Amino acid sequence: MLKIKHAIVLSGLAAFACSVQAQEAEKPSVFTYATYFYCDVTGQDKADEIVMKENAPVYDQMVKEGLISAWGWMAHHTGGKWRRLQYYQASSVAGLLDAQEEMNKRMADSDDAFGKICNAHEDYIWEMESGTAGKDRGAAGFSVYYKCDESKEERADELFAKDFGPILDKYVAAGKLTSWGWQSHWVGGAYRRLQTMTAGNHKDLLAARAELIEDMYGEDDKAGAEFVSICGSHSDYMWDIQREGR
């Protein structure tokens, strides 16, 4: 994370990371550390400049060194109160935490200009369950943050992989979407699942989403009805993907 720019609490996460290492060894995966910022809208463009100048070179170098597999900086287009999203990915939770410590070291001399603009945030750790992780992504992003019945959310993962995944793959193959992903909650707030989609621009993305809603949740779609019964509440965000490295 951004050293002075993030007030990230690490207590408890190290022990958590150790407890899941055995599971991760059996199942290679992609984990995402995402920080959602609340910012002063009058200064958020300046925050973007700071990230591009001071942090992007560090993240790019860490990708080259294999310390992280990808990172990104995204700006609010439409949705709730989060104004900026910064994320990075690694193959394990332990890897995320190691990368975070290294980022803090490399940016130890940064000033607090970013923190004055974006002075509050929420952190989540997600695990990629299915999707096109590691492949190209478009410039426009759409994220759906779901609240789910925790006793049945693994069934939602099955539905997404088996029933929805092939539909989304067809949209990517047809050029209607550039990428898609389905991620599960490990650490963070109330949202339990995250669906992502990208396309070249927001108009194309919204057009594809309108078609998808019919394909995935049509009147006779049993999988769609079952999914909604598990994850029936959500929040939508549209993002401008300003910079990504992988």
Side-chain angles (χ1 to χ4, degrees):
M1 284 287 114
L2 311 169
K3 197 255 179 196
I4 296 177
K5 309 149 170 94
H6 298 49
I8 296 171
V9 178
L10 291 177
S11 60
L13 283 178
F16 169 80
C18 293
S19 71
V20 299
Q21 280 181 325
Q23 298 177 41
E24 294 165 5
E26 296 175 1
K27 178 190 173 185
S29 191
V30 175
F31 288 83
T32 305
Y33 199 122
T35 299
Y36 302 90
F37 289 98
Y38 299 94
C39 306
D40 177 354
V41 296
T42 65
Q44 59 192 14
D45 290 344
K46 177 62 176 178
D48 297 335
E49 294 176 6
I50 293 170
V51 170
M52 295 305 108
K53 179 181 178 181
E54 297 186 11
N55 301 288
V58 174
Y59 299 145
D60 286 339
Q61 182 60 35
M62 291 182 68
V63 171
K64 289 181 181 180
E65 295 175 17
L67 299 176
I68 55 176
S69 58
W71 74 275
W73 179 255
M74 301 162 69
H76 176 280
H77 180 284
T78 302
K81 295 182 178 180
W82 293 333
R83 301 302 304 177
R84 292 296 186 270
L85 161 57
Q86 193 268 339
Y87 77 86
Y88 65 96
Q89 295 179 322
S91 61
S92 68
V93 174
L96 292 178
L97 300 184
D98 288 343
Q100 185 184 81
E101 292 183 2
E102 185 62 24
M103 290 172 187
N104 289 342
K105 291 177 183 178
R106 297 187 185 194
M107 291 182 282
D109 295 331
S110 300
D111 61 34
D112 62 351
F114 179 95
K116 291 178 180 178
I117 301 169
C118 300
N119 58 11
H121 68 272
E122 296 181 43
D123 296 320
Y124 277 79
I125 293 178
W126 305 101
E127 181 186 9
M128 181 70 72
E129 296 289 344
S130 54
T132 58
K135 298 183 180 180
D136 292 337
R137 280 163 49 89
F142 196 104
S143 296
V144 186
Y145 301 89
Y146 288 97
K147 293 183 179 180
C148 307
D149 180 344
E150 294 186 34
S151 69
K152 299 178 181 179
E153 58 191 11
E154 290 185 3
R155 174 57 180 161
D157 298 338
E158 293 174 0
L159 290 168
F160 225 93
K162 178 178 178 292
D163 295 280
F164 299 159
I167 297 173
L168 288 156
D169 285 338
K170 289 180 181 179
Y171 275 64
V172 172
K176 296 179 179 180
L177 293 175
T178 309
S179 68
W180 69 274
W182 178 251
Q183 302 186 59
S184 61
H185 174 280
W186 278 77
V187 173
Y191 295 116
R192 300 297 303 175
R193 291 298 186 270
L194 167 60
Q195 177 192 356
T196 62
M197 299 179 291
T198 70
N201 59 71
H202 288 293
K203 290 182 179 180
D204 289 346
L205 186 53
L206 288 177
R209 178 175 178 265
E211 291 185 49
L212 275 167
I213 290 174
E214 182 62 29
D215 286 343
M216 294 167 63
Y217 307 106
E219 291 184 6
D220 298 325
D221 194 310
K222 294 181 179 179
E226 184 180 1
F227 176 83
V228 170
S229 72
I230 300 169
C231 299
S233 175
H234 68 273
S235 296
D236 297 329
Y237 276 78
M238 294 167 62
W239 300 101
D240 290 321
I241 302 176
Q242 294 196 346
R243 178 79 175 270
E244 289 188 314
R246 60 190 64 240

